[in-house]
Amino acid sequence: MHKPIPKFLGAFRRLTYLNLSGAGFMGRVPAQLGNLSTLQHLDLSYNCYWDDEVENSGWISLLTSLRHLNMTWVSFTNAANWLQDLNALPHVQEIELISCDLGTFPRSLSHVNFTSLTTLDLRGNYINSTIPDWVFNITSLEFLYLGGNDLHGFFPDSVTKLTSLKALDLSGTQLSGSFPDWLGNIKNLKSLDLSSNSLCGSVPASIGNLSLLQHLSLGSNDLNGTISKGIGQLKSLVDLDLHENSLSLSEDDLANLSSLEYLDISYNFIELNKSDDWIPPFQLQSLSMDFCQIGPTPQFPQLKYLYLSNNSFSGNLSPRITNTMPSLQWFDLSMNNMSGEIPFSYCQLRNLEGLQLYENNLSRVIPNCWKTSSNLLLLDLSSNKLVGGVPDSLCNLQMLESLHLSHNNLSGQIPHCLKSCTELATLDLGHNNFIGNIPTWIGESLLYLKTLSLRSNAFTGSIPQLSSLPSLRILDLSNNNLSEDMWLFIKGSELEYTTRQLSMDTLIDLSNNYLSGNIPEELGNLHGLRSLNLSKNYLIGQIPWSIGRMKQLEVLDLSRNNLSGAIPSDLAALNFLNHLNLSYNNLSGRIPNGNQLQTFTDSSIYAGNPNLCGPPLTKNCTLNIAKAGEEEQNEDSSKSRMETLWLYTSITLGFIIGFWAICGSLLLQQTWRTSYFRAIDNMFDKLYVMMVVTVAKYKRKL
């Protein structure tokens, strides 16, 4: 249980260092901490503050020896004078108040007492104002972080007063206007983050004056045009983020960036190189070019992350990747128009952890060349035109966590050796032509499986037991030829429904199979289930009332079965339900109303149930119920007559059979007959003697 910061800490008057960061305290910060007049370092960050935390910040002003203050995640909602109290600290050097609900920036400060302040970090405080001028009067500032606030207006030119500034973060602050040309005058700047604003125009040439700049982030703005040659002068640049603009960048702009390790130029119009053999002189570690228009594939010997998704690249995959990018760890060429086969050389990338080639036009077979030494964690070849089966060498990828081969033309059976990929969390083989039974080893070996999708194949037989998969969240076996009694499928999980839930608690899709029997009540124990689709099967019986306990259910499709009886009124309690389909069954009675069910006004969700009535159907339930009552009365009367007839018939048959079974035996067997009458005579004699003796006793007593 979390407890508040102890008040007795204020008694340690000679304390100089107090760090309670991440200690799990909660509640109000005690004002007794103001007694620590010799304290130089105070860190109360990252605790569990859920109540009123700093109601009166006056005690902070008493910490006259304080150099470092970090109260990240401590709420200052009710501390109206927080700035004045901080300004009373003459020796403070670092102030970190990240996500403290400061709310406002005081517009004026009569006297700036922050003569020693080097770091001011007020990120993520929902401050809704312009940047006040007093901030730029703190000439000792070296690190100014104001990102993640609701600052607005134009970029303040007063920033140039901060000549010692090394890091400036104004990201996500809704600043507008053109990119300031005077930023090039802050010669000591090493980190500049102006991303996620509304800055427009071109990047000025003066940015080349920032010779010490190492980190530049201008992503998610409205910048356009060609980046000036000045960017090529930033020889110390390590990270360059220009994503989501309309900039163009040529090869010459990158030529002198010898220290660059990370480059994100996604969502731009960028020509990266002009020749096949161009090798960049910088040690590039990560390259992201989503939605870029680029030239031929360059050679990046140090490249580790290459993102080229969502372009219009076409042609065959180059087999030279092992020579041009030998250090590659992640390769994403998805959502393009690549064709041909997957080169064998891709199997030789020993450092490769992620390969994403989905949504292309790749054809032929999956190469059978994967090695046991591979570090591959994710392989996504879905939505292509691949043929053949799953190659046995894929079983060598024992570290594989996600395998996506859906929406291809693969066929055959799932190889048994795939059970050795015990780390698999996602197995998606849907929309192919796989045949045979679903392997039982899926429920025995793939213990970390979270998503299993085998939909739209030609699997037959029964559904294997999945009780040993505690992490399973998505189960999609729809559009196959599976045959199973619905009760046996649920019962086969061998779970005690009264003490625990079934493990699958996000999605179950068993539609378009040959499932039969009743929907078991135990299905209602899936309290976390969000989607249940049992449509197009042969289920019978009533809709179980326990479905009303599945409070998180958003999709329920029981259409095209043989379900009967009334719709349970418990369905009205499913507040998150946004898709319902009960059409083409044999349901009857009034459609329940109230709560969520009232929002379903489309009558087609109840179509094909001639005995249903009430809104949104046009059938009047009063007339329908009266007719149904007469039919039920006639049916009950007919049933009663039949029951009476069967009763008398069974009595007569029983008497005849019993009579002749006993009497016939006595007539046909003389020994049985003699023994029978002797037994009766003996019984009569015993009863007679008992009666005479009893009467004689009573006479003597009287």
Side-chain angles (χ1 to χ4, degrees):
M1 180 177 180
H2 298 290
K3 297 181 179 180
I5 296 174
K7 296 180 180 180
F8 66 78
L9 290 177
F12 300 111
R13 296 180 181 273
R14 295 186 179 181
L15 199 65
T16 60
Y17 185 96
L18 179 59
N19 189 342
L20 301 178
S21 175
F25 290 113
M26 65 172 292
R28 188 171 300 171
V29 178
Q32 285 79 359
L33 294 182
N35 298 330
L36 306 176
S37 57
T38 61
L39 196 65
Q40 297 182 15
H41 183 106
L42 177 61
D43 191 343
L44 305 179
S45 62
Y46 303 110
N47 278 283
C48 304
Y49 295 100
W50 297 314
D51 302 325
D52 294 332
E53 289 78 39
V54 179
E55 184 173 346
N56 185 351
S57 58
W59 61 270
I60 297 179
S61 64
L62 304 177
L63 305 176
T64 53
S65 301
L66 202 63
R67 265 70 170 172
H68 176 91
L69 176 65
N70 189 345
M71 298 184 71
T72 296
W73 287 12
V74 179
S75 177
F76 278 69
T77 304
N78 299 320
N81 298 320
W82 62 272
L83 179 60
Q84 289 79 1
D85 294 328
L86 291 174
N87 194 39
L89 305 176
H91 304 293
V92 68
Q93 297 174 0
E94 299 178 4
I95 296 177
E96 298 179 52
L97 301 178
I98 304 172
S99 300
C100 292
D101 297 325
L102 298 178
T104 58
F105 238 154
R107 299 300 309 149
S108 61
L109 194 62
S110 57
H111 174 68
V112 177
N113 197 32
F114 297 121
T115 56
S116 302
L117 190 65
T118 60
T119 300
L120 179 61
D121 192 344
L122 304 179
R123 287 175 290 180
N125 277 291
Y126 306 104
I127 296 174
N128 187 5
S129 66
T130 56
I131 304 176
D133 291 335
W134 59 262
V135 173
F136 307 114
N137 293 330
I138 310 175
T139 55
S140 59
L141 270 181
E142 296 180 4
F143 304 92
L144 178 59
Y145 304 104
L146 300 177
N149 286 290
D150 295 328
L151 306 176
H152 49 265
F154 295 101
F155 202 104
D157 56 4
S158 302
V159 176
T160 55
K161 295 181 181 180
L162 305 178
T163 55
S164 301
L165 204 61
K166 296 180 180 179
L168 176 62
D169 182 358
L170 297 177
S171 61
T173 54
Q174 303 183 28
L175 293 176
S176 58
S178 59
F179 192 95
D181 182 70
W182 42 259
L183 267 178
N185 297 328
I186 310 177
K187 301 295 181 63
N188 293 317
L189 207 59
K190 293 184 178 180
S191 177
L192 177 61
D193 190 348
L194 303 178
S195 61
S196 301
N197 282 291
S198 299
L199 299 177
C200 58
S202 60
V203 179
S206 61
I207 198 172
N209 297 332
L210 304 177
S211 58
L212 301 178
L213 198 64
Q214 297 178 2
H215 308 280
L216 177 60
S217 181
L218 305 177
S220 297
N221 279 285
D222 297 321
L223 302 173
N224 53 52
T226 303
I227 294 180
S228 64
K229 299 297 181 181
I231 197 172
Q233 302 174 22
L234 302 176
K235 297 182 179 180
S236 300
L237 203 61
V238 176
D239 298 335
L240 177 58
D241 184 355
L242 303 174
H243 77 280
E244 288 191 57
N245 284 286
S246 299
L247 297 168
S248 59
L249 180 69
S250 67
E251 173 185 339
D252 297 333
D253 294 324
L254 300 176
N256 296 321
L257 303 182
S258 56
S259 301
L260 198 62
E261 295 180 359
Y262 176 89
L263 175 62
D264 187 349
I265 49 178
S266 60
Y267 294 83
N268 281 283
F269 182 84
I270 294 178
E271 180 184 358
L272 186 62
N273 64 295
K274 299 177 180 178
S275 64
D276 281 333
D277 299 325
W278 176 64
I279 301 178
F282 48 84
Q283 302 299 308
L284 194 61
Q285 299 295 319
S286 180
L287 177 63
S288 176
M289 293 182 281
D290 296 357
F291 287 97
C292 294
Q293 303 291 326
I294 67 174
T297 303
Q299 294 186 6
F300 293 124
Q302 302 298 325
L303 189 65
K304 292 185 178 180
Y305 302 97
L306 178 58
Y307 302 98
L308 302 175
S309 65
N310 225 322
N311 284 283
S312 299
F313 298 139
S314 59
N316 297 330
L317 294 174
S318 172
R320 298 171 52 205
I321 191 170
T322 53
N323 297 325
T324 58
M325 305 174 190
S327 302
L328 203 61
Q329 292 183 10
W330 205 277
F331 184 31
D332 185 354
L333 192 57
S334 59
M335 292 183 282
N336 282 284
N337 295 315
M338 305 303 296
S339 57
E341 64 181 357
I342 301 173
F344 274 69
S345 58
Y346 281 39
C347 302
Q348 301 174 16
L349 293 169
R350 292 181 176 271
N351 298 317
L352 196 65
E353 296 180 357
L355 178 59
Q356 295 173 281
L357 302 176
Y358 61 90
E359 291 190 34
N360 279 283
N361 294 313
L362 301 175
S363 57
R364 302 185 185 178
V365 299
I366 301 174
N368 192 14
C369 57
W370 307 98
K371 307 295 184 181
T372 54
S373 58
S374 175
N375 295 317
L376 202 64
L377 301 176
L378 182 147
L379 178 60
D380 193 342
L381 306 179
S382 58
S383 299
N384 280 284
K385 298 177 181 179
L386 299 172
V387 297
V390 178
D392 291 338
S393 64
L394 277 182
C395 305
N396 296 328
L397 305 177
Q398 297 184 8
M399 298 180 63
L400 195 65
E401 296 179 357
S402 295
L403 177 60
H404 302 265
L405 301 177
S406 63
H407 293 87
N408 281 287
N409 296 317
L410 301 175
S411 57
Q413 296 186 349
I414 302 176
H416 185 269
C417 64
L418 204 61
K419 65 183 295 185
S420 62
C421 299
T422 55
E423 301 296 322
L424 269 178
T426 300
L427 178 59
D428 186 357
L429 305 179
H431 293 276
N432 281 288
N433 299 311
F434 290 110
I435 60 174
N437 294 334
I438 298 177
T440 57
W441 52 258
I442 291 179
E444 298 169 354
S445 302
L446 307 184
L447 302 182
Y448 299 104
L449 203 62
K450 295 181 179 179
T451 299
L452 176 61
S453 178
L454 304 177
R455 67 175 301 160
S456 298
N457 280 283
F459 289 113
T460 57
S462 59
I463 303 173
Q465 293 186 15
L466 303 175
S467 58
S468 60
L469 304 180
S471 301
L472 194 61
R473 296 293 179 266
I474 297 177
L475 175 64
D476 191 347
L477 306 178
S478 60
N479 297 320
N480 280 284
N481 298 316
L482 302 173
S483 58
E484 180 78 275
D485 186 283
M486 190 63 189
W487 164 251
L488 293 178
F489 162 61
I490 297 295
K491 190 66 177 177
S493 296
E494 296 179 351
L495 299 179
E496 298 178 7
Y497 303 113
T498 57
T499 58
R500 59 182 289 195
Q501 300 175 6
L502 287 172
S503 57
M504 299 161 292
D505 65 356
T506 300
L507 180 148
I508 293 180
D509 191 342
L510 303 175
S511 61
N512 201 12
N513 281 289
Y514 295 93
L515 302 180
S516 60
N518 296 326
I519 301 176
E521 293 283 350
E522 287 77 9
L523 200 62
N525 291 333
L526 300 174
H527 299 303
L529 195 69
R530 296 182 181 275
S531 178
L532 176 61
N533 190 346
L534 302 177
S535 63
K536 299 179 182 178
N537 280 287
Y538 297 92
L539 302 175
I540 61 174
Q542 296 185 342
I543 300 174
W545 61 270
S546 60
I547 288 182
R549 299 204 307 262
M550 303 159 72
K551 300 299 183 182
Q552 304 299 318
L553 201 63
E554 299 175 8
V555 176
L556 177 61
D557 192 343
L558 303 177
S559 62
R560 298 186 183 276
N561 281 284
N562 296 314
L563 300 173
S564 58
I567 300 174
S569 59
D570 303 77
L571 296 186
L574 301 177
N575 296 326
F576 294 101
L577 196 65
N578 55 46
H579 176 83
L580 176 67
N581 192 350
L582 303 177
S583 60
Y584 298 100
N585 281 284
N586 296 315
L587 301 173
S588 59
R590 183 189 296 272
I591 297 174
N593 54 20
N595 296 339
Q596 193 69 7
L597 291 183
Q598 288 183 339
T599 63
F600 297 110
T601 58
D602 185 4
S603 60
S604 64
I605 65 178
Y606 302 108
N609 293 283
N611 295 322
L612 282 178
C613 62
L617 300 179
T618 56
K619 277 191 176 182
N620 190 319
C621 270
T622 304
L623 297 175
N624 194 60
I625 290 174
K627 292 180 179 178
E630 292 179 2
E631 292 176 358
E632 289 179 0
Q633 187 175 4
N634 294 333
E635 185 177 353
D636 290 342
S637 177
S638 176
K639 287 182 178 179
S640 178
R641 287 195 298 270
M642 289 297 295
E643 289 174 357
T644 303
L645 178 61
W646 276 110
L647 175 63
Y648 288 122
T649 302
S650 60
I651 291 174
T652 303
L653 290 175
F655 175 78
I656 294 172
I657 293 172
F659 178 82
W660 285 109
I662 297 174
C663 297
S665 300
L666 296 177
L667 290 174
L668 296 175
Q669 294 289 337
Q670 182 178 358
T671 55
W672 288 13
R673 187 166 62 251
T674 302
S675 299
Y676 175 73
F677 286 114
R678 282 179 181 175
I680 291 178
D681 288 339
N682 291 335
M683 187 181 298
F684 177 77
D685 291 340
K686 289 179 180 180
L687 290 175
Y688 177 76
V689 171
M690 288 176 61
M691 184 180 66
V692 171
V693 172
T694 302
V695 171
K697 288 181 179 180
Y698 277 106
K699 284 183 178 181
R700 284 196 298 269
K701 289 181 180 181
L702 295 174

